[in-house]
Amino acid sequence: MKTMKRALAVSTAIVASGTLATADQMPPETSLSGLEYELIGRGDIYSYGSLDSYNQAPMLDALVESGALPPVNERLPAEPIIFKSGAMVDGIGEYGGVFRHVIGGRPEGWNWMAGQHQGWGGINMAMQECLVRQGPRWQVKAEEQTGPLPNLAQSWTWNVDSTELTVNLMQGVKWSDGDDFDVEDVRFWYEDNVQDENVASRMAKDSFGAANFEVIDDYTFKFVFQSPQAETIVENLAYIQGCPGPSHILKDAHPTYNSDATYDSYTQALPNDVVPPVVLGAWVPVVHRPDELVIMRRNPYYFKVDEAGNQLPYFNEMHFRLSTWGDRTAQAVAGTGDFSNMEDPGNYVEALKQSQDENSPVRANFGPRVLSWRLMLNLDPASAEDDTDRAMRDLFRETDFRLALSHALDRDAIGQALARGPFAYPYVAGFSTGSPYYDAGSSDFQPFDQDRANALLDGLGATDTDGDGVRNLPGGGENIVITVLHDGGANADRKQAEAVASQLEEVGIRMNLRSLDQTTMDTNRTSGQYQALFARLPVILPTREVCETFPAGANCPFFNRGGNRLPFEAELASAYDAFVASSDAAEQAELAKQMQRLMTENAYYIGTVQIPAALLVNKRIRNAHPGTPVFMYEWAEDSVIRERLWTPAAEQEEEVLPGTVAEY
Ligand code: GLA
Ligand code: CA
């Protein structure tokens, strides 16, 4: 078989494309990516079909015998998803054991449809299954990169006008309590969560082409769009946006179906201390000890098998120790955790040194630069809290103000403060360099230049009228003191926010840093409740968590929710809409360049640096493909395909709850 290698970091040279006549160019980039792998066809990873017979994890035999569970062939759909052996680096697995995660997050609650997260670090993804799947696409060859991979949506077709998308759901999939998954679950997700403005769903109202939902039968439905769309828009139906929840549980808690319910009570309907929730994922949370541990057990109704007919997943148990993100890497390096996305550059040198020892329990692989940080100024005048806040936001809406802040940043110094060495590369705005849509020649760089920053600020009339060292709002208003929220638990965020504050102080702009926990940050960020916010947000695909970055739909982006768009932002919105409505890869690449240019030359938000990340996986874990990127189409927890990971029986960790599954 011919081996193909894909160079993930494409921007090793500056491309003078002529799109940016007067712009400053990005400095040269050196890639650290060591990922090399063979690209395969979509259907080489998994397909749908029926097999002559099915097997289950031996621990389930007793539960079937006692009548607690139906036999495996009754629990599986007629045509389950079949994972192909040819794409498994270690082949068909052995059942049993524990997969040990360590995370820095804490489960907010189990109602993901109402926007609640379960603590991140892969726990959300272990419970949720979505209409389509993006994670494994990193391994798909270019000519088959036609769109997302199917999942619960087994197939879909467009009408000739490209205004109607008919989706065929898998038939016979069951929730973890045995209830049927069908079109009503999808309708409820879309109509009563996404399109209900009062629910803070991850997919924002009207951001999916403002489509209407039409039920055709139990397993078929139609999205009817307001204007022609293309395959790209289907990517929105992947994690974390397109993941239905159990309508048979949640409808009764929703104000549309229950007059005693409120939107707040609906959001809280599945509190994190009540287990087990009903899920479609490979594992079900059965224990939650706050600040300590979440234990998940295999879902006996999971709808995927291997080619030998073994129902997945292979691991019986999954642990999420509730600790810190730094501890995730420390434990992976020490061998007491099985997995980490190494993403705090402060650990890189030491962790790499240790993992290169041949006795190290862990493997480390660096990918392209996909982690990027940014300062977002809230551009929405309508949600200002008082007159001063309003005047601040009016100033934020001045492109020269944002450009001044960008020129005031010494990004090399910020990078070196994070980690000595070649890890960090400047980030301004738009796509990360690891994105297939990044184009260096379409990026307007704002080099460190305090004179330019000062001149731009002076030009806006934001001078220090009272001589206390801090510039004042134009017209002799108050001092410009920007309140900036950041996640206090993330080292890399905190260090950078502090560096940004001290650098901006040098041009007379003061930042008042407020450190919050991750859950509060998430809520404030996605509801647009802040004056400014510093966070790590990857921009790889224009169709993932779209409201973090793009003016996609009326209430997007989160940093300008009120729909009061800046002139360039309207242009950006048109380019975005054209991108998702296009089915021509070359045209999409051009539109992505246009977006990149608009976002960088207007400093839509103010980026700091971008860094590569390394994936750490314990050597006892089999089927973890060494080419798996920490982040590309999705985070590594999805890309590594955990349902087909396994550990040989002799190396398995002892289960805490052997012989059990979630009981309802
Ligand atoms: C957090 C972590 C990432 C990744 C994601 C998965 O954001 O920082 O490394 O694990 O969760 O959702
Ligand atoms: Ca002043």
Side-chain angles (χ1 to χ4, degrees):
M1 193 191 295
K2 198 169 145 235
T3 298
M4 292 166 67
K5 287 172 185 168
R6 182 192 295 177
L8 280 165
V10 284
S11 56
T12 44
I14 298 171
V15 188
S17 74
T19 30
L20 289 161
T22 58
D24 291 289
Q25 295 183 323
M26 294 295 288
E29 185 191 3
T30 312
S31 167
L32 298 180
S33 177
L35 301 186
E36 283 178 2
Y37 45 88
E38 201 173 281
L39 299 175
I40 59 180
R42 297 159 68 87
D44 294 336
I45 305 174
Y46 57 82
S47 62
Y48 298 78
S50 60
L51 299 172
D52 290 344
S53 63
Y54 297 101
N55 312 306
Q56 63 188 2
M59 60 145 291
L60 295 176
D61 292 348
L63 296 169
V64 172
E65 258 157 54
S66 73
L69 285 177
V72 64
N73 56 324
E74 288 171 28
R75 301 195 309 266
L76 283 168
E79 291 190 356
I81 286 180
I82 305 172
F83 278 87
K84 307 288 176 70
S85 308
M88 298 182 178
V89 284
D90 299 300
I92 286 186
E94 294 176 33
Y95 279 121
V98 183
F99 190 84
R100 303 164 305 169
H101 281 281
V102 176
I103 58 175
R106 299 290 181 273
E108 186 182 10
W110 312 123
N111 194 356
W112 64 85
M113 283 200 297
Q116 287 191 320
H117 71 81
Q118 289 78 57
W120 308 112
I123 176 167
N124 303 7
M125 279 178 231
M127 324 171 33
Q128 298 178 30
E129 288 287 332
C130 314
L131 292 167
V132 299
R133 190 167 189 181
Q134 286 279 78
R137 273 182 74 182
W138 62 270
Q139 211 185 348
V140 174
K141 54 187 167 200
E143 56 275 34
E144 294 192 22
Q145 284 290 0
T146 46
L149 298 171
N151 195 47
L152 292 165
Q154 182 164 347
S155 61
W156 50 90
T157 51
W158 291 91
N159 67 345
V160 279
D161 298 342
S162 298
T163 50
E164 293 186 9
L165 176 68
T166 302
V167 178
N168 305 301
L169 293 173
M170 289 184 74
Q171 302 192 17
V173 170
K174 292 181 192 307
W175 291 94
S176 55
D177 63 353
D179 197 80
D180 288 328
F181 163 78
D182 58 25
V183 78
E184 179 57 9
D185 294 308
V186 184
R187 188 207 61 77
F188 177 65
W189 156 74
Y190 189 75
E191 289 193 336
D192 296 311
N193 289 273
V194 175
Q195 291 300 82
D196 186 332
E197 215 150 19
N198 304 305
V199 179
S201 54
R202 295 274 163 189
M203 183 187 271
K205 179 176 160 61
D206 289 346
S207 69
F208 190 64
N212 284 326
F213 193 95
E214 279 178 22
V215 172
I216 297 173
D217 62 35
D218 279 356
Y219 297 102
T220 322
F221 65 90
K222 220 194 249 185
F223 284 117
V224 181
F225 297 97
Q226 309 295 314
S227 60
Q229 302 294 329
E231 190 70 4
T232 308
I233 200 171
V234 186
E235 293 180 358
N236 287 276
L237 302 178
Y239 177 86
I240 186 176
Q241 300 183 134
C243 320
S247 64
H248 64 291
I249 307 285
L250 281 167
K251 256 161 91 172
D252 272 353
H254 192 289
T256 299
Y257 305 90
N258 181 343
S259 53
D260 294 333
T262 63
Y263 282 99
D264 193 47
S265 70
Y266 172 66
T267 302
Q268 309 299 331
L270 302 175
N272 66 16
D273 56 353
V274 179
V275 288
V278 173
V279 305
L280 289 172
W283 295 272
V284 189
V286 293
V287 171
H288 173 205
R289 293 201 284 269
D291 290 327
E292 196 188 321
L293 179 68
V294 171
I295 301 178
M296 300 178 88
R297 292 286 300 172
R298 68 162 53 255
N299 172 2
Y301 291 92
Y302 198 52
F303 54 97
K304 307 185 185 181
V305 302
D306 66 22
E307 276 185 311
N310 300 307
Q311 187 188 29
L312 297 176
Y314 294 123
F315 282 111
N316 282 342
E317 202 165 285
M318 204 180 245
H319 289 182
F320 286 86
R321 251 168 290 160
L322 307 178
S323 179
T324 63
W325 296 113
D327 192 37
R328 173 170 71 168
T329 293
Q331 295 219 32
V333 170
T336 50
D338 290 321
F339 181 98
S340 182
N341 297 332
M342 199 165 77
E343 56 195 7
D344 176 3
N347 298 330
Y348 280 9
V349 175
E350 188 53 30
L352 276 179
K353 218 164 58 198
Q354 291 187 31
S355 64
Q356 265 146 27
D357 185 309
E358 70 175 290
N359 296 320
S360 159
V362 78
R363 264 187 223 103
N365 281 311
F366 264 105
R369 289 191 173 81
V370 288
L371 303 177
S372 52
W373 283 264
R374 55 164 110 149
L375 172 67
M376 287 177 287
L377 303 176
N378 198 327
L379 305 177
D380 180 15
S383 61
E385 274 172 18
D386 52 38
D387 289 349
T388 307
D389 190 17
R390 170 75 204 235
M392 293 282 280
R393 293 182 193 208
D394 286 342
L395 191 57
F396 296 168
R397 288 173 67 85
E398 298 286 348
T399 298
D400 279 354
F401 184 77
R402 301 188 305 278
L403 287 173
L405 265 49
S406 188
H407 278 297
L409 297 187
D410 180 350
R411 293 178 167 92
D412 291 336
I414 296 173
Q416 291 306 308
L418 276 183
R420 307 280 308 220
F423 300 108
Y425 177 74
Y427 178 62
V428 181
F431 299 104
S432 308
T433 70
S435 163
Y437 297 108
Y438 174 70
D439 175 48
S442 306
S443 302
D444 184 9
F445 184 52
Q446 283 99 45
F448 176 45
D449 188 338
Q450 293 182 330
D451 292 342
R452 250 157 112 176
N454 283 318
L456 286 164
L457 294 167
D458 291 348
L460 290 164
T463 50
D464 180 13
T465 45
D466 52 6
D468 64 356
V470 181
R471 290 175 180 275
N472 293 66
L473 285 164
E478 292 191 35
N479 275 347
I480 301 176
V481 181
I482 309 176
T483 301
V484 182
L485 313 184
H486 70 100
D487 177 353
N491 291 333
D493 295 32
R494 203 194 55 245
K495 276 191 213 159
Q496 290 188 70
E498 283 165 4
V500 169
S502 74
Q503 293 180 2
L504 293 186
E505 186 86 33
E506 291 186 28
V507 297
I509 303 291
R510 181 159 292 168
M511 270 170 58
N512 168 18
L513 288 180
R514 285 192 50 208
S515 151
L516 299 178
D517 66 85
Q518 195 177 20
T519 298
T520 314
M521 270 288 285
D522 277 350
T523 309
N524 283 32
R525 191 184 72 244
T526 55
S527 59
Q529 287 179 30
Y530 59 84
Q531 189 174 63
L533 188 142
F534 188 84
R536 186 198 74 203
L537 291 167
V539 189
I540 309 296
L541 298 187
T543 48
R544 184 184 174 279
E545 299 185 15
V546 296
C547 284
E548 301 283 9
T549 307
F550 299 98
N555 301 327
C556 301
F558 296 137
F559 54 89
N560 192 10
R561 291 198 65 141
N564 200 337
R565 287 192 174 151
L566 297 163
F568 80 88
E569 204 179 9
E571 237 183 288
L572 180 63
S574 314
Y576 178 86
D577 290 345
F579 180 97
V580 288
S582 168
S583 11
D584 177 344
E587 182 185 39
Q588 284 186 321
E590 280 310 311
L591 289 162
K593 286 184 191 176
Q594 206 177 318
M595 291 191 255
Q596 182 74 10
R597 181 177 60 74
L598 288 165
M599 292 169 84
T600 54
E601 72 186 9
N602 293 291
Y604 198 25
Y605 49 80
I606 297 133
T608 54
V609 297
Q610 47 192 329
I611 58 162
L615 180 61
L616 303 177
V617 185
N618 194 289
K619 288 176 182 164
R620 69 190 188 93
I621 305 293
R622 302 295 197 269
N623 276 353
H625 195 295
T628 311
V630 165
F631 188 93
M632 182 46 61
Y633 291 90
E634 200 24 271
W635 286 104
E637 290 90 341
D638 187 31
S639 311
V640 79
I641 314 184
R642 285 174 301 174
E643 60 267 40
R644 55 166 212 201
L645 298 180
W646 57 280
T647 295
E651 295 173 51
Q652 286 175 4
E653 290 283 316
E654 218 172 296
E655 296 165 37
V656 174
L657 298 166
T660 65
V661 295
E663 278 177 47
Y664 296 95

